[in-house]
Amino acid sequence: MSHLKSVVAKIAMLIISINSYASPGPLYLYYYDRPPFHFTASDGSVAGSVANITKDILNQASIPYVWKQVPAVRILNILRQDGDNSCSPGWYKTSERERFYNFSLPIYEGKPLVAVTRADFRVPEVTTAVKIFSIPGINIVYKKGMVTGGYLDGILSKIPTNQIHIVTLEEAGKLKMIQAGHFDLTLLTAEEADYYKNNSELFVNLKIIKMTDVPGGDKRFILCNKAVPAVIMEKINATIKRLKLP
């Protein structure tokens, strides 16, 4: 009888183990407000182009998920240390990040970066990065961790370090600093610049500078911590392929 109880107990533990593996719990999706890609809408839902693509992927892959909003500067640290199944959509892939995180297939391909300056800044609205960043004494502000791409990296590396100011502010904060005259120029994606120009009172006395020599935008991915099971990543990637993204 005791042997039968032992066998039943082992079978029960095996069933629990299988169920646990098959249903590891929801995927935690960390995001920060960066319209128009991902942000908290007025009704409290998570909205934006990249957020909506991510929802579509996970819904079609039948992967449950829970959104968690945190500041951008904390996301990578949280995912690196988190033992739960955690991801964050809309990140660029770099060799440094690949050391600590897993990446999905690309889900979105952005437009080229643009510059935003005050309206009275004496630069034409269509120029080149080479010309604009060779202006003597130009002061540039951009966000910590921003990926500018190899071409712009090369140009920016030639600018004196005291003219480049790296901040943790979100895009709206950078625009306010440009308006106030603290800096001459900031870099945004074309999507962000258009969003603020069309949807925000922030875009007063500002103008968008298109840089014709800057290559097209980089691809964006869903970045996940190493705890996310391979089977989940495979389901995500299979759905991305099926949806023919980006």
Side-chain angles (χ1 to χ4, degrees):
M1 189 70 175
S2 60
H3 176 68
L4 179 60
K5 288 182 178 179
S6 176
V7 171
V8 171
K10 288 179 180 179
I11 292 173
M13 290 296 293
L14 180 61
I15 292 171
I16 292 171
S17 176
I18 291 171
N19 287 339
S20 176
Y21 179 78
S23 304
L27 197 65
Y28 294 109
L29 286 180
Y30 288 90
Y31 79 102
Y32 61 99
D33 277 336
R34 188 180 179 183
F37 302 116
H38 33 75
F39 58 94
T40 304
S42 57
D43 63 358
S45 65
V46 181
S49 55
V50 171
N52 290 338
I53 291 170
T54 304
K55 292 178 193 177
D56 198 18
I57 292 167
L58 298 180
N59 288 337
Q60 292 204 33
S62 300
I63 298 172
Y65 58 92
V66 176
W67 291 101
K68 289 190 173 186
Q69 183 181 17
V70 297
V73 293
R74 291 183 53 207
I75 289 179
L76 292 181
N77 285 335
I78 289 173
L79 263 66
R80 187 170 172 180
Q81 299 169 10
D82 195 357
D84 292 326
N85 300 324
S86 303
C87 296
S88 183
W91 291 83
Y92 297 122
K93 184 191 290 187
T94 66
S95 55
E96 175 67 16
R97 289 173 183 171
E98 285 186 282
R99 292 173 54 197
F100 306 107
Y101 313 97
N102 292 324
F103 285 83
S104 71
L105 293 174
I107 64 170
Y108 181 87
E109 186 168 4
K111 297 177 182 178
L113 292 176
V114 298
V116 176
T117 69
R118 292 184 306 281
D120 61 0
F121 194 66
R122 293 189 175 183
V123 172
E125 293 186 12
V126 179
T127 184
T128 65
V130 171
K131 288 181 180 178
I132 196 169
F133 291 119
S134 63
I135 296 173
I138 189 169
N139 277 288
I140 304 153
V141 60
Y142 65 88
K143 188 174 178 179
K144 182 179 180 181
M146 182 177 190
V147 176
T148 58
Y151 180 74
L152 278 175
D153 282 350
I155 295 174
L156 293 171
S157 68
K158 299 174 183 176
I159 299 174
T161 55
N162 65 339
Q163 293 173 217
I164 296 181
H165 310 272
I166 300 174
V167 298
T168 57
L169 292 170
E170 302 299 342
E171 280 59 35
K174 291 188 299 179
L175 294 179
K176 288 180 181 179
M177 297 187 85
I178 298 295
Q179 283 177 320
H182 297 305
F183 306 107
D184 299 315
L185 175 150
T186 191
L187 294 169
L188 272 68
T189 65
E191 295 96 327
E192 289 168 317
D194 288 341
Y195 172 85
Y196 283 107
K197 183 178 181 179
N198 297 327
N199 298 283
S200 175
E201 296 179 358
L202 281 173
F203 216 91
V204 176
N205 294 325
L206 296 174
K207 65 180 178 181
I208 298 170
I209 310 296
K210 294 182 179 179
M211 300 174 287
T212 57
D213 56 336
V214 174
D218 291 325
K219 292 181 173 65
R220 295 173 182 265
F221 303 76
I222 299 174
L223 176 151
C224 298
N225 67 4
K226 297 289 186 178
V228 175
V231 66
I232 298 297
M233 297 302 300
E234 288 167 4
K235 288 178 71 176
I236 289 172
N237 286 332
T239 306
I240 292 170
K241 286 181 179 179
R242 189 167 68 250
L243 293 173
K244 298 182 180 179
L245 299 171

